[in-house]
Amino acid sequence: MNKSNKFSPEVRERAVRMVQEHRAEYPSLWAAIESIAPKIGCVPQTLHDWVKRAEIDAGLRAGTTTSDARRIKELEREVK
């Protein structure tokens, strides 16, 4: 089953930016996400995933960056 991308990269970036900009106005990250997600038209968990991915890519959170994951996938294809 293929995942369809309902939201463009621009919408995702804007949503993440909104969470980051307004995070201090809420008692927690999740509260900010719950408030902003309906404005974007997505469920809070989806927005939370986008925020986590942006933090990993920015080096603010531990994890494999998007570019590293892409490179790993390419290398695995070469090995096959």
Side-chain angles (χ1 to χ4, degrees), residues 41-53:
C42 68
V43 295
Q45 187 58 50
T46 299
L47 181 52
H48 188 242
D49 291 343
W50 297 345
V51 170
K52 286 193 308 187
R53 173 60 40 209

Side-chain angles (χ1 to χ4, degrees), residues 57-74:
D57 288 347
L60 302 173
R61 183 186 286 251
T64 304
T65 64
T66 303
S67 61
D68 287 348
R70 190 177 305 120
R71 182 69 180 139
I72 290 167
K73 202 173 211 179
E74 289 171 6

Side-chain angles (χ1 to χ4, degrees), residues 5-46:
N5 288 331
K6 180 179 175 183
F7 300 96
S8 69
E10 294 81 18
V11 170
R12 291 177 188 219
E13 290 171 14
R14 190 175 113 235
V16 169
R17 195 170 51 252
M18 286 175 66
V19 170
Q20 292 168 341
E21 289 173 357
H22 297 283
R23 192 177 201 169
E25 299 169 14
Y26 296 91
S28 68
L29 172 61
W30 186 251
I33 288 171
E34 282 187 314
S35 173
I36 294 169
K39 296 173 186 169
I40 301 300
C42 68
V43 295
Q45 187 58 50
T46 299

